[in-house]
Amino acid sequence: MLETLHRKKHLTSFQFIILGFAGIIFVGALLLMLPISSATGTITPFNEALFTSTSAVCVTGLVVQDTGSYWSFVGQLIILILIQTGGLGVVTVAAFVFMLSGRKISLMQRSTMQNAISAPTIGGIVRLTKFILKGTFIIEFLGALLMMPVFIHDFGINGLWMSVFHSISAFCNAGFDILGSKDCLYPSLTGYSNNYIINIIIMFLIIAGGIGFFTWDDIYTHKFHIKRYRMQSKIILTTTALLIILPAVLFFLCNFKELPFGKRLILSLFQSVTPRTAGFNTADISSMTDSSQAVMILLMFIGGSPSSTAGGIKTTTFAVLLLNALATFRNQEDVCAFGRRFDCQAIKNAATITMMYFILFFTGGIAISIYEGLPLSSCLYEAVSAVCTVGLTLGITPKLHILSRFILILLMYLGRVGGLTLIYAILSNKNRNNAKMPLEKITIG
């Protein structure tokens, strides 16, 4: 299938990736429109079905209808399949089908798989894909198993479905929940803010899905011999730890002061983990301080790590820019970390990705603010949540008009397929002019 599309339509790997995501989103929207997908048995308007399908495939979590009360079991199952497909990636899921059928994966298909998961080389790509699939299903199964006692206690036999849904949603950094009811819409995990089991398991699943499959490959291969890890894995683990601990300290000092120490600590940790980029929340985010919300915007913007289920500009992009700044401050020619130096192209890519995401979320936030007449800060929060596929909200998304929803749909889609993937897909067939222009200096700063 993949090879046929490449040959007949002359699609590059990057073009296949963006069209694959678009196709799954459209099919998902059509399925969600069916009467059987809604709890009331009515046809869901196309714009609402499209928004939900896009949010699920792009593992965002922003919704215009409460997932728990509006959608039927069939609708929730469709959403969960879309989440799993989006979390693993369309190409990875297609490769999984090929493996199940016993068909041999061609070199062209391996190249597509390499681009889909941002693998450094094409060698061993099938083994890595098998590792990703096996690891994903094992972690999701264990997460569901550990949460079952709590959900079965609260919801009876339906707790089995609750456990599976929230485990997959958390690992895929999707942020969808099915805990809502007609009397309590969009609750996320606020009802379990006191439950340490749910908090810890969900946080683990978010982090596990967000650190990237290559990091897990290093952990699986080298265990605790961290010196043998790739430089990328070391940077990811260090940056992830700092981006969890430092914001948690800020949230602890600035929020939840009326609560006991234990609950205050777990709330601070959870709100530090979830912006990158899961979308669950156990506290009322709108009641948190402005400084805390600003930090959450930064965390959403950074997001997770490459080759993961998370979005954002990625931890490696943030680390490269930060290390580049430090090297400039020290007047060093090379940017280094853990005894290795970065390639100049990596620094250029980091700067390009950051600027693209900033333009997207800032432009989208301003457009929504102007059209809806809402405060810019709230609109920027929703926009960065969309483009970085987070799903956290200040509660304005369900109230937005169709135009603003389509802006968020576009932001979610562009954020999920990735800025460089989109650029390569558009420009891959263009003639490249490698001639160098005359050099002239420009003053910076």
Side-chain angles (χ1 to χ4, degrees), residues 327-341:
T328 303
F329 296 155
R330 297 172 180 174
N331 199 27
Q332 295 176 341
E333 183 176 351
D334 295 322
V335 182
C336 305
F338 298 103
R340 298 289 187 273
R341 64 184 176 88

Side-chain angles (χ1 to χ4, degrees), residues 67-69 73 76 80 143-145 147-148 150-170 176-181 188-189 192 198 202 205 280:
T67 311
S69 60
F73 172 77
Q76 292 173 7
L80 191 64
L145 193 65
M147 288 190 289
M148 276 183 189
V150 177
F151 284 126
I152 290 177
H153 176 269
D154 293 343
F155 298 97
I157 193 65
N158 194 41
L160 294 173
W161 173 239
M162 292 279 188
S163 303
V164 172
F165 189 98
H166 291 102
S167 180
I168 295 176
S169 181
F176 278 81
D177 72 274
I178 52 174
L179 298 170
S181 63
S188 192
L189 296 175
Y192 288 90
I198 297 297
I202 292 292
L205 289 170
F280 291 111

